[in-house]
């Protein structure tokens, strides 16, 4: 491209620099944002040369962010009504206040496109930290664009942390979804349950898929019958609808339901009661996350405890550290309650 054509083109992006240097966007970002210690020296040199050749400059003011003139932490969540995210937000807020930072929150409403739009807007507001919380959703076509937006922001001096699956090239706080669901299935099997239904979200929602797969793995290993699978929304309303459909289908072949999150399980319990089916007596119900309301429903809900506040605290710790591609996996422990009482031997 000659100088004349360059003058009329749009400014070069981090993607252009990465392509010119023959490296990934994440590598280009680290080489330009002061994290070159994590990049091979020859790659760092190629990136700097490519940036100089193309005239690349970060879109944001790196100096403003690096000097701390912004005192905000931007938290992007899936659903403000879901206690899962309010617990995470409590941890983020606690750690941010200790660091004299202010948390702002944006809601993506389960839409990857909206998530990308929010991140683009946030970049212009120059927060010190962006934390994105929520299951990664596959097959949407936004992954590369989101990666580039966040990498550009990081190159400009910002800090990025994900609370989700380890999918994007940034520091990530993950939950042992597969292992926790496996342990739940084994605990229910030990309590005398053999025939299950699983209320799960569409497969592109990674959290649901991992939990479903973990549960199936343990059931199959035990030689128990294949669970009835009902796909529904990853929400309380989704759980309610799945339970209604199960009752309409007939559940003589189901002893317990595993809903892949607690709000789905609570919605299912309401639908069962509405149909005259008593949770904990006529059918067992279990969830995942152990949100606060799991012990407030009747009967108290069996779940898999995830340290959600700790997830928020850990995300802020990573954001304020020198690490830009760390991974922390939080445990997920089974908590048996009255919604799945032990079954008598057959």
């Amino acid at each position: 491209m000659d100088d004349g054509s360059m003058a009329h083109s749009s400014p070069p992006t981090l993607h252009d620099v990465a392509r010119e240097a023959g490296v990934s966007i994440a590598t280009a970002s680290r080489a330009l944002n002061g994290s070159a210690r994590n990049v091979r020296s020859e790659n760092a040199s190629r990136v700097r040369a490519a940036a100089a050749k193309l005239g690349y400059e970060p879109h944001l003011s790196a100096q403003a962010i690096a000097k701390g003139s912004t005192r905000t932490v931007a938290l992007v969540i899936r659903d403000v009504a879901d206690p899962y995210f309010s617990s995470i937000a409590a941890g983020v807020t606690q750690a941010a206040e200790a660091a004299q930072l202010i948390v702002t929150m944006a809601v993506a409403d389960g839409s990857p496109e909206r998530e990308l739009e929010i991140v683009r807007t946030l970049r212009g507001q120059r927060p010190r930290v962006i934390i994105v919380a929520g299951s990664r959703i596959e097959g949407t076509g936004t992954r590369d664009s989101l990666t580039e937006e966040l990498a550009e922001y990081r190159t400009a001096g910002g800090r990025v942390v994900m609370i989700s699956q380890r999918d994007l090239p940034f520091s990530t706080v993950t939950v042992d979804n597969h292992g926790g669901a496996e342990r739940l299935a084994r605990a229910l099997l030990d309590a005398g349950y053999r025939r299950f239904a699983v209320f799960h979200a569409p497969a592109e929602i990674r959290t649901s898929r991992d939990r479903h797969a973990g549960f199936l793995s343990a059931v199959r290993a035990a030689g128990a019958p294949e669970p009835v699978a009902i796909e529904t929304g990853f929400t309380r309303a989704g759980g309610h609808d799945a339970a209604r459909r199960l009752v309409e289908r007939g559940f003589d072949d189901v002893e317990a339901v595993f809903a892949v999150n607690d709000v789905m399980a609570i919605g299912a319990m309401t639908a069962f009661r509405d149909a005259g089916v008593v949770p904990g007596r006529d059918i067992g119900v279990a969830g995942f996350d152990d949100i606060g309301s799991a012990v407030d429903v009747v009967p108290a809900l069996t779940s898999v405890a995830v340290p959600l506040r700790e997830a928020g605290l850990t995300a802020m710790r990573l954001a304020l550290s020198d690490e830009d591609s760390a991974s922390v996996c939080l445990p997920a422990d089974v908590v048996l309650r009255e919604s799945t009482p032990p079954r008598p031997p057959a």
Side-chain angles (χ1 to χ4, degrees), residues 36-91:
R37 67 187 183 282
N38 297 322
V39 180
R40 291 204 304 269
S41 59
E42 60 269 29
N43 285 346
S45 297
R46 288 210 307 272
V47 169
R48 288 192 291 268
K53 175 182 176 181
L54 297 176
Y56 170 77
E57 294 180 0
H59 177 64
L60 302 180
S61 169
Q63 185 179 38
I65 294 175
K67 287 185 176 179
S69 62
T70 61
R71 306 295 303 171
T72 58
V73 175
L75 174 62
V76 184
I77 62 173
R78 173 190 172 91
D79 181 1
V80 71
D82 189 334
Y84 178 95
F85 294 105
S86 59
S87 297
I88 288 173

Side-chain angles (χ1 to χ4, degrees), residues 184-236:
L184 174 63
R186 287 198 293 267
L188 294 176
L189 289 160
D190 288 345
Y193 295 90
R194 297 281 294 173
R195 298 178 297 167
F196 300 97
V198 178
F199 296 169
H200 65 93
E204 59 264 24
I205 298 179
R206 282 276 304 277
T207 298
S208 173
R209 192 176 75 205
D210 291 349
R211 293 175 180 180
H212 189 186
F215 194 86
L216 286 180
S217 175
V219 170
R220 289 168 177 167
E226 189 74 5
V228 175
I230 298 180
E231 182 176 306
T232 189
F234 201 46
T235 61
R236 184 185 185 281

Side-chain angles (χ1 to χ4, degrees), residues 62-292:
Q63 185 179 38
I65 294 175
K67 287 185 176 179
S69 62
T70 61
R71 306 295 303 171
T72 58
V73 175
L75 174 62
V76 184
I77 62 173
R78 173 190 172 91
D79 181 1
V80 71
D82 189 334
Y84 178 95
F85 294 105
S86 59
S87 297
I88 288 173
V92 170
T93 301
Q94 178 183 336
E97 287 178 351
Q100 297 184 309
L101 299 172
I102 297 170
V103 178
T104 63
M105 193 156 53
V107 181
D109 200 26
S111 166
E113 292 77 19
R114 175 64 178 152
E115 181 182 70
L116 175 60
E117 179 185 344
I118 288 169
V119 168
R120 283 177 172 155
T121 301
L122 288 173
R123 283 184 59 205
Q125 297 174 0
R126 299 189 311 195
R128 178 86 65 86
V129 176
I130 294 177
I131 297 174
V132 182
S135 177
R136 305 318 306 154
I137 301 176
E138 297 181 345
T140 63
T142 62
R143 182 185 184 280
D144 290 347
S145 295
L146 180 65
T147 299
E148 182 164 4
E149 290 289 340
L150 290 172
E152 292 265 13
Y153 163 78
R154 183 173 64 182
T155 299
R159 305 292 298 168
V160 178
V161 180
M162 315 297 292
I163 304 177
S164 64
Q165 291 76 29
R166 179 69 171 170
D167 180 55
L168 302 183
F170 307 101
S171 290
T172 304
V173 180
T174 67
V175 172
D176 185 15
N177 288 309
H178 191 283
E182 274 189 311
R183 289 187 286 276
L184 174 63
R186 287 198 293 267
L188 294 176
L189 289 160
D190 288 345
Y193 295 90
R194 297 281 294 173
R195 298 178 297 167
F196 300 97
V198 178
F199 296 169
H200 65 93
E204 59 264 24
I205 298 179
R206 282 276 304 277
T207 298
S208 173
R209 192 176 75 205
D210 291 349
R211 293 175 180 180
H212 189 186
F215 194 86
L216 286 180
S217 175
V219 170
R220 289 168 177 167
E226 189 74 5
V228 175
I230 298 180
E231 182 176 306
T232 189
F234 201 46
T235 61
R236 184 185 185 281
H240 189 282
D241 180 64
R244 180 187 55 78
R245 286 155 55 195
L246 180 64
V247 170
E248 290 176 352
R249 164 195 177 276
F251 62 95
D252 289 345
D253 57 340
V254 175
E255 297 165 345
V257 165
F258 167 49
V260 295
N261 69 26
D262 282 351
V263 293
M264 294 171 69
I266 290 170
M269 290 171 73
T270 299
F272 284 137
R273 281 192 298 268
D274 290 347
V277 178
V278 179
R281 186 191 73 186
D282 303 327
I283 192 168
V285 181
F288 198 117
D289 294 328
D290 202 30
I291 59 177

